[in-house]
């Protein structure tokens, strides 16, 4: 079975993607510094996976370390080769992702996101691994003043260092693709707004401190840890005055990674940018109301000023992804709200619950 090197595999999207890869039979090597994740997250992945596999421990390897440590990445490629499971492809998710933090600490963001990616790509070249799926973001489209859904060839106009990091990494990958004598296979997945969690409630998003993004914030308000949600703006030119986003279930996003790998594996050479969203716009008020209805809970909210730097309408045109990948989002907004809440309840109750499963070390 092919071996996938999954950077950032302990994080929110990484854990769900890891589970999807294991279920598809891949061997997975995770590298994560755990700067924004908990060590137990991957153990929970194995807890879910062991229900469907006897061999559950031998497919996943974990390395704790920094993406900027080039020696370590080289060692991972070498160890994998020695174990007769050479790395066939990379899924590159590791990075820092807070827009606000990227404005306050741009050097750290350029160093980790761009510097770390360059080191990873250098190691890939050295070890003849030329297939990569990269976690890009809809943030690269910047502030949109249009109400149409966005296509991949829409204007790229990042408005913060985090967005500029993502555009730069996409450009570096294009330079590698154009300039290399080897055939590279590269897919930049531009995620829209991933929310929700695995339906078991065992893995999900665990932001540090007070969340910035709407969905984890709603969960915190729902569970009473935060008093009230502020809805930023009620006078936007939308159907109910609140901003519209394209929310996608994190398990559908995880599946898109597997589909992207399958797609690239069938190609000799490819460079492709793909919007990963549902193509469905949901307003903040619609999200809040769906959450309340599905979970039969209370949610205090009030309207506040518009948030600086917000687009009022950010929805994916996902036609290219639908046509190219053998993929289609399966879950609706109610599933996202239900599964996200399930995780919040489990997470809250069993926060300190440690797992008896030990992760296999590669190094
Ligand atoms: P996350 O923070 O949960 O996961 C990222 C993981 O990378 C974490 O486990 C973190 O510990 C790890 N990491 C950070 N710096 C590292 C370093 N120097 N070395 C090794 N590991 C490091 O975030 P996520 O939501 O799972 O996002 C995954 C990727 O998707 C990121 O690249 C992010 O920019 C991108 N993305 C996320 C969203 C979103 O809304 N969640 C949207 C678009 C793109
Ligand atoms: N919102 C509120 N109250 C809050 C938080 C958010 O009303 O407390 C609103 C925002 O104004 C926006 C919507 O909820 O209209 C979604 O906001 P998020 O912060 O959850 O998401 P964004 O679309 O602004 O940005 C997120 C990530 C980016 C990423 C982008 C697209 O923060 O990094 O999704 O993937 F690029």
């Amino acid at each position: 079975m092919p071996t996938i090197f999954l950077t950032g595999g302990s994080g929110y999207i990484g854990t769900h993607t890891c589970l999807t890869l294991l279920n598809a039979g891949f061997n997975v090597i995770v590298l994560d510094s755990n700067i924004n994740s908990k060590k137990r997250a991957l153990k929970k992945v194995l807890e879910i996976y062991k229900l469907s596999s006897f061999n559950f421990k031998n497919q996943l390897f974990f390395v704790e370390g920094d993406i900027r440590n080039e020696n370590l990445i080289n060692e991972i490629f070498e160890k994998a080769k020695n174990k007769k499971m050479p790395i066939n492809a990379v899924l590159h998710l590791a990075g820092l992702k807070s827009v606000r933090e990227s404005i306050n600490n741009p050097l750290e963001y350029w160093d980790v996101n761009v510097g770390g990616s360059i080191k990873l790509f250098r190691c890939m070249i050295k070890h003849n691994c030329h297939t990569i799926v990269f976690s890009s973001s809809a943030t690269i489209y910047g502030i949109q003043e249009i109400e149409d859904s966005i296509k991949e060839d829409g204007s790229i106009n990042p408005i913060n260092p985090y967005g500029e990091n993502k555009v730069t990494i996409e450009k570096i990958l294009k330079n590698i693709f154009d300039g290399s004598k080897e055939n590279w296979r590269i897919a930049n997945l531009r995620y829209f707004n991933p929310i929700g969690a695995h339906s078991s409630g065992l893995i999900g998003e665990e932001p540090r401190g007070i969340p910035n993004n709407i969905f984890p914030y709603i969960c915190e308000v729902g569970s009473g840890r935060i008093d009230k949600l502020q809805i930023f703006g009620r006078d936007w030119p939308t159907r109910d005055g609140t901003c519209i986003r394209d929310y996608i279930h994190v398990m559908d996003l995880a599946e898109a990674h597997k589909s992207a790998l399958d797609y690239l594996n069938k190609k000799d050479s490819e460079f492709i940018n793909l919007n990963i969203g549902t193509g469905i716009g949901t307003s903040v008020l619609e999200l809040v109301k769906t959450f309340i209805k599905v979970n039969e809970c209370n949610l205090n909210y009030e309207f506040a000023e518009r948030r600086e730097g917000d687009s009022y309408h950010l929805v994916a045109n996902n036609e290219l992804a639908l046509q190219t990948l053998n993929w289609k989002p399966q879950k609706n907004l109610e599933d996202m709200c239900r599964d996200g809440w399930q995780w919040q309840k489990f997470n809250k109750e069993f926060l300190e619950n440690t797992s008896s499963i030990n992760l296999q070390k590669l190094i």
Side-chain angles (χ1 to χ4, degrees), residues 4-258:
I4 309 301
F5 182 26
L6 175 62
T7 75
S10 304
Y12 171 45
I13 299 166
T15 43
H16 294 81
T17 302
C18 183
L19 181 62
T20 300
L21 294 175
L22 294 174
N23 277 325
F26 291 99
N27 297 315
V28 184
I29 300 172
V30 167
L31 170 72
D32 201 301
S33 64
N34 290 126
I35 189 155
N36 199 39
S37 45
K38 302 250 166 65
K39 281 190 189 163
R40 66 180 162 86
L42 277 179
K43 294 185 178 187
K44 299 287 176 196
V45 168
L46 282 186
E47 264 178 37
I48 303 168
Y49 182 53
K50 83 175 177 193
L51 302 175
S52 56
S53 168
F54 290 120
N55 197 25
F56 71 98
K57 272 191 178 176
N58 299 325
Q59 258 176 274
L60 175 63
F61 295 84
F62 175 63
V63 180
E64 186 168 10
D66 199 292
I67 190 74
R68 290 165 293 180
N69 185 344
E70 199 164 336
N71 289 337
L72 179 67
I73 302 176
N74 273 321
E75 205 182 333
I76 290 171
F77 274 94
E78 271 153 27
K79 279 272 159 60
K81 223 174 281 171
N82 294 343
K83 272 187 166 285
K84 307 261 179 295
M85 41 178 282
I87 292 170
N88 302 92
V90 174
L91 292 192
H92 181 31
L93 278 65
L96 302 174
K97 65 162 184 177
S98 156
V99 167
R100 197 179 297 162
E101 234 176 55
S102 81
I103 295 165
N104 296 336
N105 197 355
L107 288 184
E108 185 67 4
Y109 269 66
W110 282 95
D111 193 38
V112 171
N113 291 347
V114 179
S117 296
I118 290 174
K119 288 179 174 170
L120 172 67
F121 303 157
R122 216 158 28 213
C123 294
M124 290 179 70
I125 292 169
K126 185 169 172 187
H127 296 277
N128 284 316
C129 176
H130 302 128
T131 306
I132 181 165
V133 177
F134 169 60
S135 295
S136 190
S137 169
T139 198
I140 66 173
Y141 296 115
I143 298 181
Q144 296 291 314
E145 296 291 340
I146 51 162
E147 281 169 39
D148 281 345
S149 54
I150 304 166
K151 283 191 172 168
E152 287 80 356
D153 59 4
S155 68
I156 303 292
N157 189 21
I159 56 159
N160 51 60
Y162 169 69
E164 286 178 27
N165 291 168
K166 292 290 184 194
V167 175
T168 305
I169 300 164
E170 284 196 3
K171 281 186 184 158
I172 294 171
L173 284 169
K174 184 70 168 68
N175 290 164
I176 293 173
F177 181 81
D178 289 340
S180 174
K181 288 194 205 97
E182 310 294 339
N183 282 336
W184 278 73
R185 301 180 291 190
I186 299 170
N188 294 313
L189 302 189
R190 297 175 178 167
Y191 312 157
F192 277 66
N193 290 58
I195 62 170
H198 186 262
S199 55
S200 64
L202 287 171
I203 52 173
E205 187 169 14
E206 248 177 310
R208 295 193 162 210
I210 296 176
N212 293 319
N213 297 117
I214 184 106
F215 194 78
Y217 206 99
I218 286 177
C219 288
E220 293 282 297
V221 175
S223 65
R225 279 188 233 176
I226 296 178
D227 179 39
K228 204 182 272 177
L229 169 75
Q230 290 198 319
I231 296 180
F232 300 140
R234 65 185 309 183
D235 55 354
W236 295 99
T238 61
R239 49 185 176 259
D240 61 18
T242 66
C243 289
I244 291 183
R245 290 290 181 276
D246 184 335
Y247 298 99
I248 177 166
H249 196 292
V250 67
M251 285 307 294
D252 279 330
L253 176 58
E255 284 292 335
H257 291 82
K258 193 207 149 270

